[in-house]
Each structure stands twice: as structure tokens, then as C-alpha cells.
Amino acid sequence: ETGVTQSPTHLIKTRGQQVTLRCSSQSGHNTVSWYQQALGQGPQFIFQYYREEENGRGNFPPRFSGLQFPNYSSELNVNALELDDSALYLCASSFHGVNTGELFFGEGSRLTVL
Amino acid sequence: KQEVTQIPAALSVPEGENLVLNCSFTDSAIYNLQWFRQDPGKGLTSLLLIQSSQREQTSGRLNASLDKSSGRSTLYIAASQPGDSATYLCAVKLDGNKLVFGAGTILRVKS
């Protein structure tokens, strides 16, 4: 059973650029969620994808967008990067419809915006 | 709006000591509560999951309790070791598979 994998692990961008982060869900899971964790804070829910559609969104602007592919992997795209977007971006996978289920997280992608 | 608070924000203890980390949440309408461990710059490792109908869960030296009606959970670590040094996060699960996290407790176990 493979776990949640994310890429890249680290990246540096400049303000105004765009970034794409990638996530492969754990084997058997069909739902992917994305979280943003700023330094010294707990992760904040960005959005969730199920059946290739957004299925729940936190308090993040539209320049944060995503995709889910038929194999359940997912991308997080952030346009017009701002300095405050510097954070650890975490992906979690789970099984849709099981509210009592557990979420499993990847190692994260560390984004630095200069 | 659900809010999760963790106390203390940081804790330093000598090796071998038993310790308790606290987590409180404002809305009891949760499906479950998860405790995670996070090493510096790393992802989240799930430690314990307590369903809303359960009172406690145990794994090795870890024991987590849940009192949903009062909005509280505790993580008890027995016989702490330097390798337990990390940030511990609690999170409650809401409808739609969404987790709401606390800010974490930074634990340092001194040898």
C-alpha cells in the first residue's frame, strides 16, 4: 500500500508568479484535500476534490485552484503569488462518504515566495 | 465557527516524565478527533483517531481521551523519551471531510 506522495518538496518563486503542486493519494482513496500551514500555525483547509470536482472550500481566494485526475491524483495551482503564500502545503487523502474515516497526509511542499 | 485551542503552546520536560497535552474545541458537532505528530519541516503523522462515540484510544505509550460534551481532548504520553520531541496537533473532523486544527503544542523532552 503506497502512502500519500507530494512533489516538489521545496520550491522558491517570486511574487506574481504561478505555482503548481502535485499529490498522489494513498492507494484505495478517492478524495484529496489540500491544507496550507504557515510557520508556527496549524494547517488551514483550502479545498477538497472528489470525482474530479471541487467538493468543499475554505476561506481562500479564487487564485487558489485545483484539479483531480481519473487516477485520484491532484494538483494545487496558485496564481499571482503573494509573500503571504509562503507556507508548507499539505495534501491529505481519504475515502469519500466515510465521515468517520481517517485522513492521511503527505510530507508536504515547502513554498517560499520572495 | 469551529475553533480549536491547544494548551500549552510549548512544553519542556525531563526524560521519563509522564505528560498531558490539552485540546479544546468550541462546537461538539464533530465526527472524530485526530492527534498528529509533526517533526520540523515535515508532514503530519497520525497518532490516534477517536470517533465521536468513543471515550479513549490507546497506542503504546500514548492514550487519548475525548469528552465531546465539554469539547475537550487530552493526549497522555507515558515515560517520555527524547525521540518524542515534536509538535503535536489535534484536529476535529467536520461534515465534508474537513479538518479544523489547533496551533499545536511544541514538546521538548530533555535527556
Side-chain angles (χ1 to χ4, degrees), chain A residues 31 35 37 40-43 45 48 88 90 94 98-103 105-107 110, chain B residues 31-32 34 36 38 41-44 46 49 51 89 93 95-99 101-103:
Chain A
T31 301
Y35 288 77
Q37 186 178 24
Q41 298 181 23
F45 176 73
Q48 176 179 265
L88 181 68
L90 296 162
S94 58
V98 182
N99 283 319
T100 55
E102 191 171 357
L103 270 68
F105 283 81
E107 287 293 312
R110 169 74 63 186
Chain B
Y31 285 101
N32 58 43
Q34 259 182 283
F36 294 90
Q38 185 173 35
K42 299 293 187 180
L44 306 181
S46 180
L49 170 71
Q51 302 297 348
L89 294 155
K93 192 174 190 188
D95 200 18
N97 240 4
K98 173 185 174 182
L99 291 182
F101 285 84

Side-chain angles (χ1 to χ4, degrees), chain A residues 6-11 21 87-89 107-111, chain B residues 41:
Chain A
Q6 294 187 241
S7 64
T9 55
H10 296 84
L11 70 166
L21 308 178
L88 181 68
Y89 288 85
E107 287 293 312
S109 293
R110 169 74 63 186
L111 171 65

Side-chain angles (χ1 to χ4, degrees), chain B residues 50-85:
Chain B
I50 313 177
Q51 302 297 348
S52 62
S53 59
Q54 297 176 322
R55 298 284 292 182
E56 66 178 313
Q57 283 286 343
T58 298
S59 176
R61 294 183 293 109
L62 305 180
N63 175 277
S65 68
L66 174 64
D67 184 342
K68 201 175 87 159
S69 61
S70 68
R72 296 174 188 271
S73 176
T74 61
L75 178 66
Y76 175 82
I77 302 176
S80 58
Q81 303 170 357
D84 294 332
S85 298

Side-chain angles (χ1 to χ4, degrees), chain A residues 34-87:
Chain A
W34 286 92
Y35 288 77
Q36 180 196 66
Q37 186 178 24
L39 202 60
Q41 298 181 23
Q44 300 287 320
F45 176 73
I46 302 174
F47 47 51
Q48 176 179 265
Y49 275 81
Y50 168 64
R51 286 187 175 176
E52 302 175 46
E53 292 190 358
E54 189 178 292
N55 182 34
R57 188 177 186 96
N59 189 26
F60 281 81
R63 60 189 185 83
F64 285 77
S65 63
L67 287 172
Q68 186 182 31
F69 301 99
N71 66 354
Y72 307 127
S73 67
S74 176
E75 287 182 355
L76 165 65
N77 299 290
V78 187
N79 293 322
L81 285 167
E82 301 177 358
L83 297 179
D84 284 349
D85 296 333
S86 295

